[in-house]
């Protein structure tokens, strides 16, 4: 795991196995990262960060072939957090663009809601090509400070 920390931000990257076992590991990692910060510094909501992280990791494992690991990159700042999941497939994920018109998911299907959750619950989301494939990301803004 690579870690970077300054007084106003912390970031880390970790390689995860290209198996479904990566999903609970990613959830635990994001929860631990946010829990390690004092409540007033944690910024983003841990439950939402955990849910959206799990969705992106599950998609990376399910929709890419091979055994190369996926990578989870997290940046925590005073204004919130950004989470990226890197995989080796350069193809854009379908259904992530918030501006595009999307069909509602079929209520009888088990799949098809993950990116809807990412689009709906994040402050921003997207994807970008990388040298080794793509990164799919979301940001969560810190909630407003509670009055004293």
């Amino acid at each position: 795991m690579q870690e970077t920390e300054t007084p106003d931000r912390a970031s880390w990257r970790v390689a995860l196995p290209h198996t479904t076992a990566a999903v609970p590991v990613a959830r635990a990692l994001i929860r631990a990262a946010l829990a390690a910060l004092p409540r007033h510094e944690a910024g983003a909501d841990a439950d939402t960060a955990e849910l959206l992280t799990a969705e992106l990791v599950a998609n990376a494992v399910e929709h890419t072939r091979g055994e190369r690991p996926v990578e989870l990159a997290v940046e925590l700042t005073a204004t919130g957090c950004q989470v990226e999941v890197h995989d080796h497939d350069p193809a854009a994920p379908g259904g992530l663009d918030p501006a595009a018109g999307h069909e509602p998911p079929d209520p009888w299907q088990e799949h098809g809601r993950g990116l809807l959750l990412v689009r709906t619950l994040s402050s921003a989301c997207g994807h970008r090509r990388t040298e080794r494939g793509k990164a799919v990301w979301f940001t969560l803004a810190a909630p407003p400070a509670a009055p004293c």
Side-chain angles (χ1 to χ4, degrees):
M1 178 179 352
Q2 271 183 314
E3 287 187 58
T4 307
E5 200 165 331
T6 63
D8 61 342
R9 77 182 250 211
S11 65
W12 47 267
R13 292 177 175 266
V14 61
L16 300 170
H18 194 274
T19 68
T20 56
V23 177
V25 171
R27 281 196 308 255
L29 288 169
I30 192 73
R31 169 120 354 236
L34 290 170
L37 297 173
R39 187 78 176 135
H40 66 281
E41 291 178 15
D45 172 58
D47 292 330
T48 303
E50 184 179 344
L51 172 66
L52 300 186
T53 299
E55 290 297 338
L56 292 189
V57 171
N59 279 354
V61 170
E62 183 176 342
H63 297 292
T64 61
R65 298 196 193 302
E67 296 182 14
R68 287 188 269 181
V70 297
E71 185 177 68
L72 175 64
V74 179
E75 182 176 353
L76 306 172
T77 68
T79 60
C81 74
Q82 178 161 331
V83 174
E84 291 186 343
V85 175
H86 296 248
D87 65 51
H88 62 276
D89 184 352
L96 192 60
D97 182 5
H102 298 283
E103 292 290 318
D106 182 341
W108 301 106
Q109 296 298 314
E110 292 180 18
H111 299 289
R113 290 168 184 77
L115 294 179
L116 170 64
L117 290 170
V118 173
R119 287 192 321 266
T120 304
L121 299 175
S122 67
S123 304
C125 62
H127 63 88
R128 62 183 170 80
R129 284 191 145 196
T130 65
E131 291 178 10
R132 292 184 236 151
K134 71 174 169 298
V136 182
W137 59 269
F138 69 86
T139 59
L140 292 176
C148 295

